[in-house]
């Protein structure tokens, strides 16, 4: 069943996109939440580097999942057209 393989590989691509979106959302919102929390504290000590995290590994993982998903979509689509 090439249709099932095509659908599952497209779902794999979509999972990579959703994971990338959620990671980007975390990357933008966590420093803002940290700044708000530090403003509510008594010391009010906040620096820009306190709440920054490195998401490069997750970005690479999401990109690899998306590339594999697209490759498998093309593979199953071409396999379907050959028959």
């Amino acid at each position: 069943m090439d249709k099932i393989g095509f659908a599952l590989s497209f779902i794999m691509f979509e999972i990579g996109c959703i994971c990338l979106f959620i990671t980007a959302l975390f990357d933008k919102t966590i420093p803002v939440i940290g700044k708000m929390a530090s403003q509510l504290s008594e010391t009010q000590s906040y620096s820009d580097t306190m709440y920054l995290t490195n998401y490069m590994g997750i970005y690479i993982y999401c990109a690899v999942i998306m590339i594999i998903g697209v490759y498998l979509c093309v593979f199953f689509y071409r396999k379907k057209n050959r028959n």
Side-chain angles (χ1 to χ4, degrees):
M1 287 288 187
D2 296 330
K3 291 180 182 180
I4 293 173
F6 181 79
L8 290 177
S9 59
F10 184 73
I11 290 171
M12 185 178 187
F13 172 76
E14 287 296 319
I15 288 172
C17 289
I18 291 169
C19 183
L20 188 67
F21 173 73
I22 291 171
T23 306
L25 189 66
F26 283 162
D27 192 22
K28 300 295 180 193
T29 57
I30 289 189
V32 174
I33 292 171
K35 185 174 183 179
M36 288 180 356
S38 69
Q39 288 176 351
L40 292 175
S41 69
E42 293 179 12
T43 59
Q44 293 184 357
S45 61
Y46 176 79
S47 70
D48 292 335
T49 59
M50 285 176 71
Y51 296 98
L52 293 178
T53 55
N54 187 5
Y55 293 112
M56 190 55 65
I58 298 174
Y59 285 142
I60 291 171
Y61 179 71
C62 292
V64 168
I65 287 177
M66 290 169 58
I67 289 169
I68 291 171
V70 168
Y71 174 75
L72 289 175
C73 278
V74 170
F75 175 75
F76 285 117
Y77 183 76
R78 285 186 179 177
K79 189 175 180 183
K80 177 184 169 192
N81 285 344
R82 280 187 225 157
N83 293 336

